[in-house]
Amino acid sequence: MKPIGKIAASAMFLIMTAGLSCTVEKSDLSKENLIPRPVSVTATGNYFTLQKGSGIYLQGNSEELQHIGNYLAARLKPATGFELAVKTAGSEAPQGNIYLSLDPKDSKNGNEEYTLEITKATVKLTASSAEGLFRGVQTFRQLFPAKIELATTQEGPWKIASGTIIDSPEYAYRGFMLDVARHFFGVDDVKRLLDELAYYKINMFHFHLADDQGWRIEIKSWPQLTLHGGLTEVGGDKGGFYTQEQYSDIVKYAAERYITVIPEIDMPGHTNAALSSYPELNCNGKAPDLYTGIEVGFSTLCTSKELTYKFIDDVVGELAALTPGPYLHIGGDESHATKIEDYIPFVKRVQDIVLSHGKKAIGWDDIAISEMKPGVYAQHWASVKNAQLAVKQGSKILMSPAVKAYVDMQYDSTTTPGLHWAAYIEVDSAYNWDPAKLIPGVAKENILGVEAALWSETIKTMSDIEYMVFPRLPGYAEIGWSPASSRSWDEYKLRLAAHGEKFKALGINYYHSPRVPWAGDKK
Ligand code: TNX
């Protein structure tokens, strides 16, 4: 073969290096590890790069839009070190910028839909409501490398894949319940949890505020509830409670993340803390001692006393006034100490009290043995029969089957803390179910949504909360958000594995399940 000449060789070198600079790997937006999985993703192979001088441009006139712009800037600042300016946009954002657009005309799929268009030049997030924009902002956050969530400045570049995501949720209600009665958790813990829920597009926070072991919300007309009934918790430690101001602060913090707070006062059972605070709520007029064990089903309000209904009306009235969301939860579970002939009219009357304060009522599925009024929902946790009974009465069901969605259930027999009376729930089991296929006669149109519940008999610290919640929560979030037909554990577990890095960056204490191929683990 003839040796190639010098000129030809250098020409070839030029061609090769030119070739090299073009072989920057193409991006693939459809392979990004988003949870919940978006409804539609179209990849275009490029990258958008966030830079020091990038700005967040707002289109549309609303205070909420400004808040979302500020929220996004605040989320991106610590790791990038960029002070992204939030500005009002003209008709188009200049290149290199993020564009948030609120267009109320655009609603096809309800409030939470959004479109995220990423090109080499700009990121455009469009939604018909601020809520939709907020959900889209979470998707945008997840597209960056995990280190975007770190609290200290990191090296860039801050590149994300280009393409278009069009997204909206399957269920309008995607909830999480925290029991602060068995163990009390302070405002800062609750806020941290709300931030974690928001990252996965959870939109309802069910706050279990009273149980046998403690009453956690200040009620001004019945002050002993917290002054006496808030003093204990499981194990005998000191407990605690939220002042109305603190509760409102939590409600506001949640609202800023487009999360609705649903307060629960469990009744007529699970009421020892109240009964201990006010002897007159007991049929025998005697106050029992405060309770710090974990048995259930031994307490009941005195359903035959008129004072009981005045008490409930006062409590519901104060809570309704403090709670902007549409729902109030009345509990109703495991009232083994209440005779069934007393329980049925009690539940009927309490529904009326809640409705009279302008709220919709939710109760555990036990309430279906009573008459259920329009605008009252049953939360399925244990009884298939009760869920079916509720549907027969025209009620919608909130799905929290204990065998799948109780995150106080242990992963396996080696898990501490937790319980296992319903099941051991490994991460795949928590993910592998379809709310619309679980109960014969309870179809998609009968379902309000999905909720994971964390009971806190054995949960004492924020670190315990996170260990039980993660990594199961992203799975519940996806069950609530993404169409069942698009979900499979084998595909999901790879996306979840990539979220391990995000949990670490966020400082979340998570269970390192052997069923998930975490990055860095040996195959
Ligand atoms: C059942 S679920 C309960 C709670 C317990 C939980 C423990 C429900 C409506 N009642 O009172 O905390 O089990 O897993």
Side-chain angles (χ1 to χ4, degrees):
M1 217 210 296
K2 237 173 104 189
I4 42 171
K6 241 188 174 174
I7 296 176
S10 52
M12 239 169 97
F13 176 75
L14 273 176
I15 291 163
M16 274 167 62
T17 47
L20 269 185
S21 67
C22 290
T23 55
V24 177
E25 224 186 299
K26 274 183 82 179
S27 73
D28 187 351
L29 186 63
S30 70
K31 298 245 163 62
E32 291 299 324
N33 297 303
L34 298 169
I35 303 178
R37 185 185 165 117
V39 171
S40 142
V41 181
T42 314
T44 50
N46 273 315
Y47 292 94
F48 170 84
T49 308
L50 188 71
Q51 270 144 1
K52 193 157 184 258
S54 297
I56 299 173
Y57 284 75
L58 310 177
Q59 196 192 33
N61 241 340
S62 94
E63 214 176 290
E64 281 185 279
L65 186 57
Q66 184 72 40
H67 275 141
I68 294 173
N70 294 344
Y71 168 92
L72 178 58
R75 291 303 324 169
L76 298 175
K77 188 183 161 196
T80 61
F82 302 161
E83 297 268 3
L84 303 181
V86 182
K87 312 176 195 179
T88 307
S91 55
E92 285 298 315
Q95 300 217 344
N97 293 298
I98 302 165
Y99 190 68
L100 304 181
S101 163
L102 193 57
D103 187 354
K105 291 190 307 296
D106 227 33
S107 178
K108 289 174 206 81
N109 281 318
N111 271 343
E112 295 180 278
E113 67 184 344
Y114 68 89
T115 301
L116 181 59
E117 282 174 270
I118 304 156
T119 66
K120 222 169 139 178
T122 54
V123 171
K124 287 188 189 177
L125 178 59
T126 314
S128 61
S129 73
E131 198 178 351
L133 279 183
F134 188 82
R135 305 296 174 232
V137 161
Q138 305 311 318
T139 306
F140 180 54
R141 273 174 77 187
Q142 287 194 7
L143 288 172
F144 285 98
K147 64 184 177 187
I148 195 87
E149 302 301 341
L150 287 167
T152 53
T153 314
Q154 307 296 309
E155 276 295 311
W158 301 103
K159 291 193 332 182
I160 61 169
S162 69
T164 300
I165 295 176
I166 301 172
D167 206 8
S168 59
E170 193 73 353
Y171 292 100
Y173 186 122
R174 304 173 309 281
F176 182 85
M177 188 208 82
L178 180 67
D179 170 9
V180 293
R182 272 56 178 271
H183 281 99
F184 180 68
F185 297 93
V187 174
D188 288 347
D189 284 345
V190 174
K191 287 184 176 175
R192 180 175 164 88
L193 179 63
L194 287 167
D195 277 327
E196 294 169 357
L197 299 176
Y199 190 58
Y200 289 102
K201 302 186 173 72
I202 297 294
N203 67 345
M204 300 283 167
F205 181 64
H206 170 178
F207 216 1
H208 186 79
L209 288 168
D211 212 301
D212 291 319
Q213 298 86 346
W215 185 287
R216 307 300 181 206
I217 175 72
E218 176 193 18
I219 300 294
K220 296 203 192 270
S221 52
W222 296 76
Q224 286 304 110
L225 290 170
T226 44
L227 294 179
H228 174 78
L231 292 182
T232 48
E233 61 182 11
V234 167
D237 285 345
K238 100 176 177 342
F241 66 91
Y242 309 107
T243 62
Q244 292 200 351
E245 236 172 51
Q246 288 172 321
Y247 175 82
S248 295
D249 183 34
I250 290 170
V251 167
K252 177 166 169 278
Y253 194 85
E256 285 163 1
R257 282 143 189 80
Y258 297 87
I259 296 176
T260 300
V261 172
I262 299 160
E264 177 185 352
I265 300 297
D266 206 342
M267 54 191 144
H270 290 278
T271 42
N272 190 77
L275 296 167
S276 176
S277 305
Y278 287 99
E280 58 270 39
L281 295 176
N282 297 271
C283 282
N284 66 4
K286 284 197 201 119
D289 289 340
L290 289 167
Y291 181 69
T292 60
I294 66 167
E295 294 302 313
V296 295
F298 60 87
S299 55
T300 183
L301 291 171
C302 186
T303 58
S304 58
K305 279 191 179 174
E306 224 18 60
L307 181 72
T308 296
Y309 301 95
K310 158 102 175 80
F311 166 73
I312 295 168
D313 190 60
D314 288 345
V315 169
V316 166
E318 288 194 36
L319 264 182
L322 290 168
T323 306
Y327 306 108
L328 239 66
H329 203 299
I330 58 173
D333 58 309
E334 299 174 319
S335 279
H336 308 317
T338 321
K339 286 199 197 99
I340 189 161
E341 58 271 29
D342 298 335
Y343 178 86
I344 291 171
F346 173 87
V347 167
K348 224 169 120 183
R349 194 160 166 191
V350 172
Q351 292 175 57
D352 283 334
I353 294 174
V354 171
L355 295 168
S356 78
H357 287 282
K359 299 293 178 188
K360 298 175 179 174
I362 305 178
W364 297 104
D365 62 32
D366 316 49
I367 68 165
I369 64 167
S370 180
E371 182 190 318
M372 292 183 68
K373 314 252 166 173
V376 178
Y377 301 84
Q379 183 166 12
H380 169 64
W381 66 285
S383 167
V384 165
K385 230 174 87 202
N386 286 345
Q388 291 166 331
L389 210 55
V391 167
K392 282 203 190 98
Q393 298 198 56
S395 158
K396 284 205 177 195
I397 309 292
L398 177 55
M399 292 296 277
S400 304
V403 291
K404 290 289 184 187
Y406 268 22
V407 282
D408 60 321
M409 293 299 118
Q410 294 162 326
Y411 296 97
D412 65 22
S413 62
T414 68
T415 311
T416 50
L419 304 171
H420 55 261
W421 63 263
Y424 290 116
I425 309 177
E426 248 297 354
V427 185
D428 53 347
S429 172
Y431 179 80
N432 261 329
W433 61 287
D434 177 353
K437 299 234 167 83
L438 202 70
I439 302 179
V442 181
K444 171 111 197 281
E445 65 268 23
N446 309 119
I447 296 175
L448 176 64
V450 186
E451 183 171 289
L454 182 59
W455 299 100
S456 63
E457 286 95 332
T458 63
I459 309 299
K460 298 184 186 138
T461 62
M462 188 65 207
S463 173
D464 291 344
I465 291 181
E466 288 181 344
Y467 188 75
M468 299 311 272
V469 170
F470 289 94
R472 289 183 285 203
L473 179 84
Y476 302 121
E478 181 152 307
I479 291 172
W481 183 281
S482 312
S485 57
S486 76
R487 298 198 287 107
S488 104
W489 165 253
D490 283 335
E491 183 275 330
Y492 169 73
K493 74 179 178 195
L494 304 175
R495 278 183 288 127
L496 182 59
H499 276 235
E501 294 303 311
K502 298 185 194 289
F503 302 155
K504 280 186 206 151
L506 288 162
I508 293 173
N509 177 36
Y510 69 101
Y511 164 57
H512 206 90
S513 168
R515 307 217 179 157
V516 180
W518 304 106
D521 283 2
K522 288 207 187 77
K523 294 279 138 36

